[in-house]
């Protein structure tokens, strides 16, 4: 026990997780984690470690080497990897992206190989070979070859079309262009031609083609602004900054062309937020981090041009590493169908073996003593039985329907086109239709249990809108005129009086405008002045218009609101900020900016007013602001009430306050501030402490309320999906407060919901683990497993958990191994055995813990996971798949959702403003979250019902068709003679019974789309697998067996001792075969009519057309003319015309069809009358239900004391721009001429190149 505790750090010993931080990156090593926490280690261990580090300082992690402007460098032998036998390739990828599977030479062999990996196709290939053996062949070879070629051909064409689309997409991306240095000059090159070590130039609005090191840019200090929407779904800009040395010396083309820097860095990985490396240049080494790297997929914004050195290219880039493994997805019905086909194959073998034994016995008892049956062969009965076994395998092969797979593919293809053509899922604003990007998963859309959704850009529009505010205790933002009278309908405020208005703000409170313009309440103007001054937004002018770039969309919304209300932020320098106050430009000195961080939850700015006074302006979350207010601050309670009202309306709130500062007080504080700013250690902590000293005794001005605008129809969609018994989990990288607020806004959470947090469920899980450990003693095997719920029954619960708590609870934290075990001496066998046992115990504990977590989470009506990494999103999806065996769907819009989308059974991409990365990896895509309800409740449910009906009918009709041979065997000495003509066997599944069932699989619907949406409860049949399972399968088989029994024995009885009208007996074998075939075709086509719920002209035409086609073809095939041309292939000359002209035969056919169908009609009538299903009831009353029900939003019940769920203002996930502003690095200055020339000598590397 001690050894186990020494070797692993357990859950209880670790520190509490931090809700504000995204947990460690996906590829972090144990060593990196250990470095984050200083630990006391034995002296000998320290010596060992230091010796190893000093010996190879860069070899441990930085093994990726890049040489600028030197392509030959990467062809060195130690960079080459063996690819295939003696063929070697460089480990450095080129920049071409390949997603296609085939080329012109490999398509045919690879596609055929993939198709014959399917058990059914391989089975029929073997069958075709058997039919080529004369001794055992009982059917002509073409009866198998024709259907097999049709199946292979249709599938190959479909695969070819899909792969051609991939080729086009790859070609489009790979042929994008940018400027690359070649032969000392910048030249236009295609993306696919870029290689590691190339120096490239990018311009504004260019996509970044590879992961590059920023060398210089057109901005001050070589800043570069990038939009990372493709990576994380955030549209606010991030800034990157080059090294000072490269900024200074690498601005001109000739200096970039002679740049010979050498980089050692980490190997390619999927960590979007981390990079470790070193640049060696000009005999000096420079550290590199993620702030200097531009990642593929981002877009250059607000930067005229920039230069960069390619570090990772193509498949090695971080965005490609994050895309996760492409999984081949198959539906639940696919797996079930395969097992059923295997069951049929077993039945086929057993039937064939039984009939072969019967033939051997028959030969021994009768065949050998009947001289008229002698065939010239003197084979033993057992040998004849053996040959007949294979003969019956061939005769009964249609039990395994070869056309089943191609029919399924055709139906899925058609259903996919219906999704693509659905105008109600078309988004006209962006001209974006819904698209089924795969054709193999449609019916699985009708079986979803869990939906995993991203938040930003998926549930929300990622657009922040200023909705309301509270100033001096007065709430503004309602519909009222300038006289303070409320109106239900009123025109929005006209901001045309303001020359700086952007025309985007829609506001209905005219009284606020009156207050601003009149100046009666100075607090109102002070409020908007604070919004215009207290921020870290950057501004530039485009075509004379102000363009704001904010570190977070919330901050951008507040500054834009102040601009529209007459207080426009115009420009700033390192020490000043210029504001237009109701048309008058004023410039204020900025004395200090106290930036935001996740612990402070606020930011402040200290300015000197035009009168010479010093004033601090502060904005932040109400929880931190109220703690720092002066005790005599007025309107605290009124503002508190307003905050509660805003929270009830699911608005994101922020408090604003200010403070007058004496000159002497500021001077003393400023000395401490300057000292903390240059502190060499713990600078952030020192600054926070200094900030605390000045941010106290604040005077409250009011509060803002911002709407994180949901996409249209999100609450309605979630409500309907919940009624369909689909649980929705939100997985986001956003803050806990923001995610929780969106949960309330989209009605995933309500005021009646009991919310459990990470610390709550951690205790519950710990208790459950202890109980399970106590029960797992000696008597555990005698005690039956009992599922104990975590929560008492009743009540509505939701779980909100952060990524840090998720790692803690699931024991996913990288374990920190004891330093003792890192000593360099070999372990004994005993130590190894104990180590192995410890690992097994930890794995078992982890697995049990994960299962308990999934069980607990699934008892909640909603789950929100926030501050999670892309890998954690995929992990949560995988846990539910693994432990609940449930069908999952993941929906997202950014590259950080790709892993989750690929992990789920079905992935849906939102084709929004965040780029196409998620869409490219998805199975289905559309523009708005609200279309998900139609995709699942209409297309998914219809597809599931159609596919289930199709499969049940298909198995039925094939058993009814094939087992006639079985009954016939008892009357022909088990000789493997067929009961039908060969051409009928060939064409039965291809022509005579294929079209009606295909049309039912494409067009059938039990209720209309409007009723499907109105009654989401209809969806549960798919979740519970009620329409296709083993019980339904055996019912279909039994139905087929009984039908075959009737089809054979009624004509047999009718033919016994019978004389026709012309005095001749019609009871010959060929007439008998035609009678059974005719009855079969009519029966199975009428049966599909009974199964059809939605009749159209096309359905009716296909049923009667198939019957007419059968009779038309049979008369042609039985004509004398075709017999003369092909006498050996067409032997039933004149049979159809002779047999079918006799009324007796028609009476037999009608009687057979009636006996087959009337019991089915009776059973259907009784079931619909006595045990009607939900859809039966809706069908019965569909005329009364035609009026569409209007969905109404749930009324918010405001209750005092509910302010605990108030959303905090969503500041940026990274640090703001305050550091850039204060240092002046973002301010444009006149460039100095180059004062140095790059040395000609090669930089001295830290390790020898030739080694």
């Amino acid at each position: 026990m001690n050894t186990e505790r020494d070797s692993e750090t357990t859950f209880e010993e670790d520190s509490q997780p931090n809700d504000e931080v995204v947990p460690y990156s996906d590829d972090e090593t144990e060593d990196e984690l250990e470095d984050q926490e200083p630990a006391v280690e034995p002296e000998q261990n320290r010596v060992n470690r230091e010796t190893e580090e000093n010996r190879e300082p860069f070899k441990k992690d930085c093994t990726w080497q890049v040489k600028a402007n030197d392509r030959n460098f990467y062809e060195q032998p130690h960079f080459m990897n063996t690819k295939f036998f003696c063929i070697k390739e460089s480990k450095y990828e080129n920049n071409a992206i390949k997603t296609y599977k085939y080329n012109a030479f490999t398509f045919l062999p690879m596609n055929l190989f993939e198709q014959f990996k399917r058990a059914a196709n391989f089975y029929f290939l073997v069958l075709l070979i058997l039919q080529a053996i004369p001794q055992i062949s009982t059917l002509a070879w073409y009866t198998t070859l024709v259907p097999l070629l049709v199946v292979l051909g249709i599938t190959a064409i479909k695969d070819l079309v899909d792969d051609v689309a991939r080729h086009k997409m790859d070609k489009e991306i790979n042929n994008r262009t940018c400027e690359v240095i070649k032969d000392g000059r910048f030249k236009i090159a295609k993306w696919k031609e870029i290689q590691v070590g190339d120096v490239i130039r990018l311009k504004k609005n260019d996509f970044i083609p590879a992961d590059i090191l920023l060398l210089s840019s057109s901005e001050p200090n070589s800043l570069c602004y990038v939009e990372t929407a493709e990576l994380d779904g955030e549209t606010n800009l991030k800034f990157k900054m080059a090294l000072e040395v490269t900024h200074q010396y690498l601005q001109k083309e000739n200096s970039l062309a002679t740049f010979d820097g050498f980089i050692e860095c980490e190997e390619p990985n999927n960590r979007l937020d981390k990079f470790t490396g070193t640049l060696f240049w000009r005999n000096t080494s420079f550290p590199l981090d993620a702030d200097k790297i531009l990642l593929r997929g981002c877009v250059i914004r607000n930067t005229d041009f920039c230069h960069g050195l390619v570090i990772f290219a193509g498949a090695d880039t971080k965005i490609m590493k994050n895309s996760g493994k492409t999984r081949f997805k198959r539906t639940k019905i696919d797996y079930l169908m395969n097992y059923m086909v295997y069951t049929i194959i077993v039945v086929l073998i057993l039937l064939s073996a039984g009939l072969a034994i019967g033939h051997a016995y028959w030969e021994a008892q009768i065949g050998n003593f009947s001289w008229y049956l002698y065939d010239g062969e003197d084979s033993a009965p057992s040998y004849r039985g053996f040959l007949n076994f294979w003969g019956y395998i061939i005769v009964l092969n249609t039990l395994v329907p070869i056309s089943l797979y191609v029919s399924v593919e055709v139906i899925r293809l058609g259903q996919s086109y219906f999704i693509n053509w659905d105008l109600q899922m078309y988004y006209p604003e962006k001209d974006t239709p819904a698209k089924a990007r795969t054709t193999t998963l449609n019916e699985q859309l009708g079986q979803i249990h869990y939906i995993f959704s991203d938040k930003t850009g998926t549930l929300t529009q990622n657009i922040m809108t200023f909705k309301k505010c509270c100033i001096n205790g007065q709430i503004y933002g309602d519909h009222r005129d300038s006289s303070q009278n409320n109106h239900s309908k009123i025109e929005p405020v006209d901001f045309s009086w303001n020359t700086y208005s952007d025309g985007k703000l829609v506001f209905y409170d005219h009284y606020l405008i009156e207050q601003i313009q009149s100046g009666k309440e100075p607090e109102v103007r002070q409020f908007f002045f604070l919004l215009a001054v207290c921020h870290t937004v950057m501004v530039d002018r485009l075509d004379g218009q102000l363009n704001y770039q904010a570190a977070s969309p919330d901050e951008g919304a507040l500054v834009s609101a102040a601009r529209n209300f007459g207080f426009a932020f115009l420009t700033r320098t390192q020490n000043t900020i210029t504001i237009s106050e109701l048309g008058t430009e004023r410039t204020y000195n900025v004395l200090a900016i106290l930036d935001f961080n996740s612990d402070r939850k606020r930011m402040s700015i200290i300015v000197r007013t035009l009168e010479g006074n010093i004033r601090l302006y502060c904005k932040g979350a109400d929880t931190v602001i109220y703690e720092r207010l002066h005790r005599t601050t007025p309107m605290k309670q009124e503002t508190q009430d307003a905050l509660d009202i805003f929270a009830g309306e699911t608005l994101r709130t922020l408090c604003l306050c200010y403070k007058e500062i004496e000159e002497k007080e500021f001077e003393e504080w400023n000395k401490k501030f300057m000292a903390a700013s240059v502190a060499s250690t713990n600078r952030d902590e020192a600054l926070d402490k200094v900030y605390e000293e000045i941010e106290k005794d604040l005077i409250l001005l009011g509060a803002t309320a911002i709407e994180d605008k949901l996409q249209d129809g999100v609450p309605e969609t979630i409500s309907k999906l919940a009624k369909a018994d689909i649980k929705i989990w939100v997985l986001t990288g956003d803050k806990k407060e923001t995610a929780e607020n969106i949960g309330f806004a989209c009605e995933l959470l309500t005021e009646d919901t009991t919310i459990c947090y990470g610390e709550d469920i951690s205790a519950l899980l710990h208790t459950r683990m202890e109980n399970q450990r106590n029960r797992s003693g000696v008597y555990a095997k005698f005690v039956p497993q009992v599922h104990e719920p975590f929560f008492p029954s009743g009540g509505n619960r939701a779980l909100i958990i952060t990524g840090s708590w998720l790692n803690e609870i699931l024991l996913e934290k990288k374990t920190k191994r004891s330093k003792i075990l890192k000593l360099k001496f070999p372990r004994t066998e005993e130590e190894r055995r104990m180590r192995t046992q410890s690992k097994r115990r930890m794995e078992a504990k982890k697995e049990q813990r994960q299962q308990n977590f999934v069980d607990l989470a699934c008892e909640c009506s909603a789950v929100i996971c926030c501050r999670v990494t892309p890998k954690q999103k995929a992990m949560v999806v995988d846990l539910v798949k693994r432990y609940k065996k449930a069908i999952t769907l993941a929906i997202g819009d950014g590259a950080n959702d790709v892993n989750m989308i690929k992990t789920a059974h079905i992935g849906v991409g939102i084709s929004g403003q965040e780029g196409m990365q998620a869409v490219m990896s998805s199975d289905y895509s559309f523009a708005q979250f609200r279309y998900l309800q139609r995709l699942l409740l209409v297309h998914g449910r219809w597809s599931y019902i159609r596919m289930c009906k199709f499969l049940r009918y298909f198995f039925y009709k094939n058993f009814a068709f094939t087992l006639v041979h079985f009954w016939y065997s008892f009357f022909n000495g088990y000789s493997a003679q067929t009961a039908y003509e060969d051409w009928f066997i060939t064409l039965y599944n291809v022509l005579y019974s294929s079209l009606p069932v295909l049309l039912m699989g494409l067009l059938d619907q039990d209720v209309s789309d409007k009723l499907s949406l109105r009654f989401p409860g209809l969806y549960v049949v798919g979740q519970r697998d009620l329409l296709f399972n083993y019980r339904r399968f055996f019912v279909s088989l039994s139905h087929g067996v009984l039908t075959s029994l009737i089809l054979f024995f009624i004509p047999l009885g009718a033919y016994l001792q019978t004389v026709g009208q012309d005095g001749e007996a019609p009871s010959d074998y060929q007439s008998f075969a035609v009678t059974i075939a005719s009855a079969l075709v009519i029966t199975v086509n009428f049966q599909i009519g009974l199964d059809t719920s939605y009749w159209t002209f096309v359905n009716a035409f296909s049923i009667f057309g198939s019957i007419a086609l059968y009779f038309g073809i049979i008369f042609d095939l039985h004509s004398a003319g075709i017999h003369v041309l092909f006498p050996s292939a067409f032997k039933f000359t004149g049979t159809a015309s002779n047999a079918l002209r006799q009324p007796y035969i028609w009476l037999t056919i009608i009687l057979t069809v009636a006996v087959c169908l009337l019991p089915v009609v009776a059973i259907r009538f009784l079931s619909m009358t006595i045990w009607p299903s939900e859809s039966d009831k809706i069908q019965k009353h569909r005329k009364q239900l035609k009026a569409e029900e209007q969905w109404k939003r749930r009324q918010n019940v405001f209750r005092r004391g509910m302010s605990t769920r108030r959303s905090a203002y969503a500041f940026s996930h990274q640090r703001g721009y305050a550091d850039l502003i204060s240092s002046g690095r973002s301010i444009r200055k006149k460039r100095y001429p180059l004062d140095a020339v790059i040395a000609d000598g090669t930089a001295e590397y830290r390790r020898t190149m030739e080694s």
Side-chain angles (χ1 to χ4, degrees), residues 807-870:
N807 277 346
E808 189 85 21
I809 288 167
L810 300 179
L811 304 180
E812 282 290 341
K813 294 180 73 173
K814 296 287 195 293
T815 53
K816 297 181 279 294
R817 302 177 187 272
S818 169
K819 304 291 179 180
I820 298 170
L821 293 177
K822 285 199 171 183
L823 289 172
K824 303 296 182 182
F825 56 79
R827 297 192 183 99
T828 63
E829 286 299 321
E830 177 66 17
E831 285 176 328
R832 287 176 182 167
R833 185 182 63 79
M834 292 179 68
R835 182 68 178 161
T836 304
Q837 288 179 353
S838 171
K839 281 185 177 179
R840 286 176 183 167
R841 280 194 295 270
M842 287 299 294
E843 283 300 316
K845 178 184 176 183
K846 178 178 173 180
E847 187 172 331
Q848 185 63 59
R849 182 92 170 191
Q850 289 178 343
Q851 183 158 7
N852 288 343
F853 168 74
V854 172
D855 290 341
L856 183 149
C858 291
E859 287 184 26
C860 300
S861 58
V863 177
I864 298 177
C865 301
C866 35
R867 302 306 258 164
V868 288
T869 65

Side-chain angles (χ1 to χ4, degrees), residues 7-292:
S7 62
E8 302 289 345
T9 302
T10 61
F11 151 72
E12 292 83 10
E13 292 169 345
D14 285 342
S15 58
Q16 290 285 303
N18 187 346
D19 284 344
E20 298 294 338
V21 221
V22 176
Y24 57 82
S25 297
D26 300 343
D27 286 346
E28 245 175 10
T29 62
E30 291 176 352
D31 296 319
E32 286 174 337
L33 286 166
E34 287 172 5
D35 291 342
Q36 295 169 11
E37 298 180 15
V40 180
E41 58 180 339
E43 180 65 21
Q44 185 58 50
N45 289 359
R46 186 183 61 76
V47 173
N48 290 346
R49 178 176 54 76
E50 288 179 356
T51 304
E52 185 178 348
E53 288 176 353
N54 290 334
R55 184 167 60 247
E56 293 179 324
F58 293 101
K59 193 170 183 179
K60 188 175 183 183
D61 296 317
C62 299
T63 57
W64 190 262
Q65 299 177 350
V66 179
K67 179 76 180 295
N69 292 315
D70 186 358
R71 291 193 172 186
N72 295 328
F73 172 78
Y74 309 102
E75 303 300 325
Q76 296 181 65
H78 57 278
F79 292 142
M80 307 302 284
N81 294 330
T82 303
K83 201 77 174 175
F84 182 73
F85 290 110
C86 58
I87 301 174
K88 293 191 173 184
E89 286 186 2
S90 172
K91 75 171 185 176
Y92 295 89
E93 293 276 353
N94 61 34
N95 204 41
I97 299 297
K98 296 178 183 177
T99 61
Y100 58 83
K101 292 166 66 177
Y102 315 110
N103 58 39
F105 300 103
T106 61
F107 173 71
L108 200 58
M110 283 184 64
N111 189 262
L112 286 175
F113 176 72
E114 287 180 1
Q115 290 205 58
F116 282 119
K117 284 199 294 187
R118 288 182 178 176
N121 289 346
F122 184 72
Y123 164 78
F124 281 102
L125 180 64
V126 172
L127 197 68
L128 189 61
I129 295 169
L130 289 176
Q131 284 180 290
I133 303 173
Q135 288 84 353
I136 61 174
S137 180
T138 51
L139 279 174
W141 53 269
Y142 52 77
T143 58
T144 301
L145 181 64
V146 172
L148 183 61
L149 286 178
V150 171
V151 169
L152 296 176
I154 291 176
T155 307
I157 289 169
K158 175 183 157 298
D159 290 343
L160 180 63
V161 169
D162 288 346
D163 211 54
V164 166
R166 291 191 200 101
H167 270 277
K168 288 181 180 177
M169 201 172 298
D170 290 347
K171 188 176 180 181
E172 179 190 344
I173 292 173
N174 291 331
N175 287 335
R176 290 176 180 173
T177 59
C178 71
E179 293 180 85
V180 180
I181 284 193
K182 290 183 179 179
D183 304 322
R185 300 293 303 273
F186 276 114
K187 297 180 180 179
I188 299 294
K190 295 178 179 178
W191 277 22
K192 64 183 179 183
E193 297 168 355
I194 295 173
Q195 294 185 17
V196 173
D198 285 353
V199 174
I200 64 175
R201 175 191 286 163
L202 299 172
K203 297 179 180 177
K204 186 188 290 188
N205 300 327
D206 280 353
F207 277 94
I208 299 170
D211 291 353
I212 64 175
L213 169 67
L214 179 62
L215 298 176
S216 60
S217 80
S218 56
E219 297 300 298
N221 293 282
S222 285
L223 282 173
C224 181
Y225 299 96
V226 293
E227 185 182 277
T228 61
E230 284 274 1
L231 299 180
D232 54 20
E234 292 185 23
T235 52
N236 51 292
L237 299 189
K238 313 286 193 305
F239 66 86
K240 305 288 183 177
M241 189 163 63
L243 288 166
E244 188 175 346
V245 64
T246 59
H247 159 69
Q248 185 176 3
Y249 294 113
L250 298 180
Q251 292 288 349
K252 294 189 177 179
E253 187 177 86
N254 57 355
S255 59
L256 287 162
T258 56
F259 175 55
D260 60 350
F262 177 77
I263 292 173
E264 279 188 341
C265 65
E266 60 189 18
E267 290 285 322
N269 57 65
N270 69 349
R271 293 177 293 185
L272 295 172
D273 57 340
K274 287 197 174 183
F275 180 83
T276 305
T278 306
L279 168 66
F280 301 98
W281 187 46
R282 298 170 63 83
N283 301 324
T284 313
S285 62
F286 305 93
L288 304 176
D289 55 28
D291 288 339
K292 297 169 180 61

Side-chain angles (χ1 to χ4, degrees), residues 487-703:
H487 297 274
S488 57
K489 292 184 179 179
I490 192 171
E491 290 294 318
V493 171
D494 181 10
F495 289 104
S496 59
W497 55 272
N498 180 6
T499 55
Y500 289 107
S501 171
D502 60 8
K504 296 177 183 177
L505 180 64
V506 179
F507 200 75
Y508 292 94
D509 195 340
H510 295 255
Y511 181 60
L512 179 58
I513 303 299
E514 172 66 24
Q515 289 288 80
I516 292 172
Q517 292 178 337
S518 67
K520 292 176 183 177
E521 289 195 29
E523 289 85 2
V524 175
R525 290 189 177 183
Q526 187 88 316
F527 181 91
F528 287 103
F529 175 79
L530 188 155
L531 292 180
V533 168
C534 185
H535 56 78
T536 59
V537 171
M538 296 194 177
V539 62
D540 59 6
R541 289 181 181 265
L542 295 174
D543 302 325
Q545 293 293 318
L546 295 175
N547 184 39
Y548 293 147
Q549 299 300 336
S552 77
D554 296 60
E555 190 162 60
L558 291 177
V559 177
S560 295
R563 165 187 178 175
N564 283 288
F565 284 110
F567 291 79
F569 162 53
L570 300 181
T571 185
R572 74 184 334 143
T573 66
Q574 182 177 351
N575 301 315
T576 64
I577 185 168
T578 302
I579 310 293
S580 169
E581 300 177 33
L582 299 175
T584 305
E585 287 191 17
R586 293 190 175 96
T587 300
Y588 297 89
N589 289 328
V590 177
L591 305 180
I593 298 178
L594 287 57
D595 202 6
F596 163 85
N597 66 40
S598 59
D599 293 325
R600 283 168 41 75
K601 297 184 180 179
R602 64 190 183 279
M603 78 153 291
S604 303
I605 187 169
I606 301 176
V607 298
R608 188 180 294 278
T609 65
L610 299 179
E611 295 79 21
N613 300 324
I614 299 175
R615 183 171 289 175
L616 177 143
Y617 293 101
C618 179
K619 65 182 180 184
D622 58 307
T623 50
V624 296
I625 295 296
Y626 265 65
E627 293 172 357
R628 291 162 177 79
L629 293 179
H630 195 279
R631 54 188 175 82
T632 61
T633 295
M635 301 298 174
K636 283 173 69 173
Q637 187 56 47
E638 289 83 351
T639 307
Q640 179 74 51
D641 293 340
L643 287 168
D644 290 338
I645 293 170
F646 296 157
E649 296 173 4
T650 68
L651 300 174
R652 300 162 70 148
T653 55
L654 184 73
C655 286
L656 310 185
C657 51
Y658 71 97
K659 173 187 177 181
E660 300 284 353
I661 303 175
E662 296 292 333
E663 190 77 36
K664 184 178 180 183
E665 179 187 359
F666 174 76
E667 287 178 5
E668 292 177 359
W669 177 85
N670 195 42
K671 291 176 183 176
K672 298 177 184 177
F673 172 64
M674 297 305 294
S677 300
V678 295
S680 56
T681 57
N682 299 324
R683 182 181 301 172
D684 291 341
E685 291 81 355
L687 283 171
D688 286 351
K689 189 176 178 181
V690 173
Y691 293 164
E692 283 284 349
E693 292 183 15
I694 199 77
E695 292 173 327
K696 59 185 181 181
D697 296 332
L698 304 173
I699 306 299
L700 185 64
L701 264 178

Side-chain angles (χ1 to χ4, degrees), residues 1061-1131:
Q1061 287 180 338
D1062 55 2
E1064 297 177 359
S1067 53
D1068 61 287
Y1069 159 69
Q1070 293 187 344
S1071 299
F1072 183 63
V1074 168
T1075 304
I1076 298 175
S1078 302
L1080 172 67
V1081 170
I1082 295 171
T1083 299
V1084 297
N1085 279 289
F1086 280 7
Q1087 177 66 48
I1088 197 74
L1090 293 176
D1091 289 342
T1092 300
S1093 302
Y1094 182 68
W1095 278 91
T1096 63
F1097 169 78
V1098 179
N1099 292 87
F1101 178 80
S1102 69
I1103 290 172
F1104 293 106
S1106 295
I1107 296 172
L1109 184 67
Y1110 160 73
F1111 284 110
I1113 290 176
I1114 198 174
F1115 280 113
D1116 286 339
L1117 295 181
H1118 293 185
S1119 65
I1122 200 166
H1123 174 71
V1124 172
L1125 293 174
F1126 307 101
S1128 60
F1130 300 94
K1131 299 174 182 177

Side-chain angles (χ1 to χ4, degrees), residues 322-350:
N322 253 295
S323 61
K325 185 181 178 183
T326 302
R327 296 168 173 85
F328 177 65
K329 296 181 178 181
R330 298 175 66 189
T331 66
K332 197 174 182 180
I333 283 182
D334 266 336
Y335 288 109
L336 194 59
M337 190 167 66
N338 281 344
Y339 284 123
M340 289 172 179
V341 169
Y342 298 148
T343 303
I344 292 173
I345 291 174
V346 171
V347 170
L348 169 64
I349 292 170
L350 292 175

